[in-house]
Amino acid sequence: MSIEIGAIILLLLMFIIGAILPINIGIIGFVAAFIMGVLVSGLSVDEIFSAFPADLFVLLAGVTFLFAIVQKNGTIDLISRWGLLLVKGNTGLIPWVMFALGAILTSIGTSAIASASILSPIALRVAFQYKINPLMMGLMLLIGVTAGGFSPLHLFGVIVNGMMDSQNLPHSPGLLFLNTFILCVFVAIIVFILFGGLRFFRKDSVHLYTAATVETIDINVNQVDNPEDNSGKSEGRLTWYRGFTLLGIALLVVLALGYNVHMGFAGFGVGLALFLMAPKRQEGVLQSMPWPIILMVTGIVTYVGVLEQIGVIEYMTQLIAGMNNSVIAALTASYIGGIISSFASTTGFLAAIIPLAIPILQDPTVSSIGVISSISFASSIVDISPFSTNGAMLLANAQGMNQNEFFRKLLIASACFVVIGPGLAWLIFVVIGTPWG
């Protein structure tokens, strides 16, 4: 048995053990990284350390630290109430608002990670507040983020179009964006219906939530706020401390999007400023951060990093080049993209797969834009996986549900996306084809 096959089998065993035993899979990931990297493949310990996702760790810790403070001082509750007023009490529209916000942010060039980091805490808090299925809310948000991901302004679109240009392959940035966007809308409709979203459009539900919102909101910007006051008398009001908190969130967005400051470091900085404004009010903030989730995600990603170092990812992608049937090869490439991207970097995979898929893309019997749309969609829609950065952000902000339960449900959902998504994209874009090319 080759090292590559053994490493993949070990990855599967990790999930089986994690599903049977009450142990954090991240711990298994760190041990497996050492075994497969050092003992089997001969890597040094320093090389194992280089596989640790320090960037992801700081991102998760920084953003969750900030939003632990934001949630504790009641600002997220305030935002959620304002959001409900914005849709005039129609809770059925809230998941679609999150979908639209995610799509708009990414389509204008905001990174998918930044969009998910900004919107996940708010979306899942709103879901908890108004009894919307948190898994549905999270999926709608991340599908929206994916919908805008292949805009010519977004990194995914830039990479795919740039690689197609560099290989002198026929392509259309507009059609790539249109194809992936429409399919994301279709998938979002299916998710919304399957998770019972239609019931929120009942008139009695709208009336109930409108009445509850109007009764609980009492905004008084002139109120003198004592940040150290934990009495709860200012519940539902825009106080001075919450005003500074809103400014802090806005500053986070500006720093991350306007000046390309790392979201994690920006989160720590803004969170520290809010912490120092009311230090006595922050008791339990660090304990409320989702450390088990952070450990789990970083452990698994470390193992995947080791797999990349020993050539497993390259081994899987190169299987595409040896296939003679372009239609089947396109299906294989789509599924490989879905499987790999659910654990590893979507950006990195997109940059690697196009050169390897040149034989498919050059075949005149298939549509090159159809093939690249299928691969692109399959590689990005699975970013809901709890082992991707976006999925990890959902896990880190889950409310109203046990985190292990949410993890299992998110894992099942991502497995369904991996099984169905690539095949659906391949069927629509490669086999059937779109009327516009």
Side-chain angles (χ1 to χ4, degrees):
M1 180 188 300
S2 67
I3 292 179
E4 292 85 359
I5 298 298
I8 295 171
I9 292 175
L10 182 57
L11 179 63
L12 296 175
L13 287 176
M14 287 164 52
F15 288 105
I16 295 174
I17 294 172
I20 296 175
L21 301 177
I23 185 172
N24 191 303
I25 302 180
I27 297 174
I28 305 176
F30 283 120
V31 174
F34 179 80
I35 293 174
M36 184 55 63
V38 175
L39 301 184
V40 176
S41 302
L43 299 179
S44 67
V45 174
D46 287 341
E47 288 175 306
I48 303 298
F49 280 129
S50 70
F52 178 81
D55 179 271
L56 177 60
F57 173 81
V58 173
L59 173 67
L60 289 173
V63 172
T64 56
F65 171 67
L66 170 60
F67 279 94
I69 296 174
V70 173
Q71 180 172 328
K72 190 173 181 63
N73 67 30
T75 304
I76 287 186
D77 289 335
L78 191 64
I79 294 172
S80 68
R81 293 184 181 116
W82 287 352
L84 195 59
L85 286 178
L86 182 65
V87 297
K88 298 181 179 179
N90 196 330
T91 51
L93 291 177
I94 294 178
W96 288 105
V97 169
M98 292 301 169
F99 174 92
L101 287 174
I104 290 170
L105 281 179
T106 51
S107 65
I108 62 176
T110 307
S111 77
I113 294 174
S115 300
S117 301
I118 293 167
L119 296 174
S120 291
I122 297 173
L124 292 180
R125 180 58 179 171
V126 170
F128 172 71
Q129 187 77 22
Y130 300 107
K131 297 179 174 58
I132 300 173
N133 187 315
L135 183 58
M136 179 185 74
M137 184 71 95
L139 293 179
M140 292 291 289
L141 170 61
L142 294 190
I143 294 171
V145 168
T146 300
F150 290 93
S151 157
L153 300 177
H154 188 267
L155 180 61
F156 288 175
V158 170
I159 288 175
V160 172
N161 295 319
M163 292 298 295
M164 296 288 281
D165 273 333
S166 68
Q167 302 295 332
N168 295 317
L169 296 169
H171 70 289
S172 169
L175 290 182
L176 173 64
F177 182 34
L178 179 64
N179 285 348
T180 52
F181 185 89
I182 290 177
L183 190 51
C184 282
V185 172
F186 175 74
V187 171
I189 293 172
I190 299 300
V191 168
F192 185 76
I193 294 173
L194 289 179
F195 283 90
L198 293 178
R199 67 186 175 89
F200 289 111
F201 286 112
R202 294 195 312 241
K203 291 183 179 180
D204 57 330
S205 177
V206 173
H207 174 75
L208 173 65
Y209 281 101
T210 304
T213 307
V214 172
E215 289 173 2
T216 54
I217 295 184
D218 179 14
I219 301 172
N220 182 3
V221 296
N222 295 317
Q223 177 185 352
V224 177
D225 180 36
N226 178 10
E228 304 291 352
D229 180 18
N230 289 308
S231 64
K233 293 180 181 179
S234 60
E235 183 69 27
R237 296 176 178 174
L238 177 59
T239 61
W240 287 115
Y241 187 44
R242 289 175 185 159
F244 278 113
T245 302
L246 290 172
L247 289 176
I249 296 174
L251 178 61
L252 175 71
V253 174
V254 171
L255 290 174
L257 307 187
Y259 295 93
N260 204 31
V261 176
H262 188 277
M263 182 76 74
F265 287 115
F268 274 127
V270 174
L272 178 61
L274 293 173
F275 193 104
L276 294 176
M277 287 179 61
K280 293 182 181 179
R281 195 170 180 174
Q282 313 308 331
E283 182 179 355
V285 165
L286 291 179
Q287 290 86 336
S288 67
M289 290 172 60
W291 294 113
I293 299 300
I294 294 174
L295 174 64
M296 176 184 65
V297 172
T298 52
I300 291 295
V301 174
T302 298
Y303 180 70
V304 172
V306 170
L307 296 190
E308 290 181 316
Q309 291 188 26
I310 64 178
V312 174
I313 306 300
E314 182 181 358
Y315 169 80
M316 292 185 66
T317 54
Q318 285 182 343
L319 291 176
I320 301 171
M323 305 186 72
N324 296 322
N325 188 313
S326 294
V327 175
I328 300 301
L331 178 63
T332 303
S334 297
Y335 270 104
I336 289 176
I339 294 170
I340 292 177
S341 294
S342 64
F343 296 98
S345 167
T346 302
T347 304
F349 177 81
L350 288 172
I353 189 62
I354 294 175
L356 296 175
I358 287 178
I360 311 172
L361 297 170
Q362 289 179 333
D363 190 338
T365 63
V366 296
S367 166
S368 61
I369 187 62
V371 171
I372 205 62
S373 295
S374 176
I375 295 174
S376 298
F377 176 86
S379 302
S380 57
I381 196 65
V382 296
D383 283 348
I384 68 164
S385 163
F387 306 113
S388 71
T389 305
N390 291 352
M393 290 306 304
L394 291 186
L395 274 179
N397 291 283
Q399 299 181 46
M401 183 184 294
N402 178 275
Q403 283 190 328
N404 288 333
E405 179 186 358
F406 190 82
F407 167 73
R408 287 193 296 271
K409 290 186 176 181
L410 186 59
L411 186 61
I412 292 171
S414 60
C416 292
F417 274 55
V418 169
V419 171
I420 299 173
L424 178 64
W426 171 78
L427 179 64
I428 292 175
F429 297 133
V430 179
V431 178
I432 299 175
T434 58
W436 44 83

